[in-house]
Amino acid sequence: MTDNNVTAAKAAPSGYKIKNHSAEKAKRFVGKFFIYFALVLFALWILAPFSLVLVTSLKTAKEANSLDFHWWPQEGFTLQGYEAIFEFDLGSAIDGVPIIIMGFLNTLWIIIPPTVLGLFCSAISAYAFAKLRFKGKNWLFSLLLFTMMIPGTILLTPSYTIYSQLNWIDTPLPLMIPGMFGAATCVFFMRQFYTGIPTELMEAAKLDGMGYFSMFWRIMVPLSVPALLAQGLLGFIGGYNDYLAPLIYLQSPEMYTLQITMNLLKSEFQMTNTPAMMAATTVSIIPTIVLYIVAQKYFVEGIATSGMKL
């Protein structure tokens, strides 16, 4: 074999590797392109209704109610819709406060205590199921999971009867007290998270003389902040969007939550002032969007690390 043949034989594998590397790189580029393309389409599909709501809230009532639809206001931007919802006084302004503001404040003070206390009860229950040893633990946890399979609608009538006997109707108590004892879904999620925390930490804490509650408060809680924030955010949004329970138990306008208030505004503005209805919708979703943006990092981290070894 001549020197040229030897050189060609040595160069062939290198050229093949370069060609193969280029092909793999092209495949990865094509794969990423289609993934991002699909994500952009999905994002546009999700954002289109929100953009429609926002743009409509800035139109005049005449243009918004017209059969000719335009994505961009043809008569210019106006804040008449927002002015209308903050001036709504059809028996809805309590002590000079617009009904949408009153509904928002009622929603906050009704859902924040159950969210905080319920999260604490769920977390400490999950800690017990994940790290403590006691008789009947598996049976009790199975019973807890079974309650998640019961549709909430079949409990409406017995719940209403009980609360009526307690004279809780037309008070915020039916919306607050049950949630303060935690939720089965939150207990299940937090148990999965606590199971991933090494047991050696608990054993070392015992050697240092810590009690069960001290271990929970000083070890488990700091390690589970992302998961707790994620569950707290989900619980807050669930209570914030709840419509059925306030509709059943609240009867006085001064106690209406934001969702009931939105229904009143819909009855008032749906046929006559579409921008006002869209403005009310825009105002109502701002708190949840801001909350998610602030807690997005912890929310994603808390969901992603559930059940993983830390």
Side-chain angles (χ1 to χ4, degrees):
M1 180 179 294
T2 64
D3 293 340
N4 292 334
N5 292 335
V6 172
T7 303
K10 292 181 178 179
S14 299
Y16 175 77
K17 291 180 179 179
I18 294 175
K19 183 177 180 180
N20 189 35
H21 178 71
S22 299
E24 292 180 357
K25 189 175 181 180
K27 289 181 179 179
R28 287 197 298 268
F29 174 79
V30 173
K32 288 184 178 180
F33 172 80
F34 282 107
I35 290 174
Y36 283 105
F37 180 75
L39 290 175
V40 169
L41 286 181
F42 185 73
L44 292 176
W45 178 265
I46 296 298
L47 293 176
F50 291 100
S51 62
L52 176 62
V53 169
L54 179 60
V55 172
T56 304
S57 70
L58 299 172
K59 291 181 178 180
T60 62
K62 179 181 178 181
E63 182 180 0
N65 293 327
S66 175
L67 296 178
D68 297 329
F69 174 76
H70 301 282
W71 279 100
W72 199 258
Q74 302 298 304
E75 299 181 2
F77 292 96
T78 177
L79 297 178
Q80 294 177 358
Y82 293 90
E83 294 174 357
I85 63 172
F86 286 109
E87 295 175 355
F88 183 61
D89 58 359
L90 188 61
S92 59
I94 310 300
D95 296 330
V97 180
I99 188 173
I100 191 169
I101 300 297
M102 181 63 68
F104 177 71
L105 295 177
N106 287 338
T107 300
L108 289 184
W109 80 271
I110 285 177
I111 67 175
I112 288 180
T115 300
V116 176
L117 294 179
L119 186 61
F120 173 78
C121 290
S122 297
I124 200 169
S125 300
Y127 160 70
F129 282 122
K131 296 300 182 182
L132 304 187
R133 296 180 181 179
F134 54 91
K135 292 183 178 180
K137 181 176 74 171
N138 294 332
W139 183 84
L140 288 175
F141 187 70
S142 299
L143 182 63
L144 179 71
L145 295 182
F146 173 76
T147 62
M148 298 170 57
M149 311 301 170
I150 302 176
T153 52
I154 68 174
L155 300 177
L156 289 178
T157 299
S159 297
Y160 186 89
T161 302
I162 294 174
Y163 297 144
S164 179
Q165 294 294 324
L166 295 174
N167 294 322
W168 284 7
I169 303 301
D170 200 23
T171 70
L173 295 179
L175 307 176
M176 300 176 66
I177 300 301
M180 292 181 179
F181 294 95
T185 52
C186 185
V187 173
F188 173 76
F189 179 91
M190 293 305 301
R191 176 187 177 274
Q192 295 301 108
F193 190 92
Y194 288 147
T195 302
I197 296 178
T199 308
E200 289 77 8
L201 291 175
M202 310 292 297
E203 296 175 352
K206 287 182 180 179
L207 294 177
D208 290 338
M210 284 190 182
Y212 290 125
F213 184 80
S214 181
M215 286 187 287
F216 167 74
W217 190 252
R218 300 178 62 179
I219 297 178
M220 291 299 185
V221 171
L223 290 176
S224 60
V225 168
L228 291 172
L229 289 179
Q231 289 302 301
L233 181 61
L234 292 175
F236 178 86
I237 293 177
Y240 189 85
N241 294 329
D242 189 15
Y243 173 76
L244 183 59
L247 180 66
I248 293 175
Y249 299 119
L250 300 181
Q251 300 172 358
S252 301
E254 62 270 15
M255 289 190 296
Y256 284 167
T257 61
L258 183 61
Q259 301 305 321
I260 306 300
T261 299
M262 293 291 294
N263 190 44
L264 293 178
L265 293 174
K266 176 183 176 182
S267 302
E268 177 68 17
F269 295 124
Q270 184 177 23
M271 301 303 297
T272 59
N273 197 342
T274 303
M277 193 63 243
M278 296 298 103
T281 303
T282 303
V283 171
S284 67
I285 64 176
I286 288 177
T288 55
I289 293 177
V290 172
L291 184 62
Y292 177 75
I293 292 175
V294 172
Q296 179 183 9
K297 174 184 176 181
Y298 299 101
F299 178 77
V300 175
E301 183 180 350
I303 296 295
T305 56
S306 175
M308 296 177 60
K309 289 290 183 181
L310 301 180

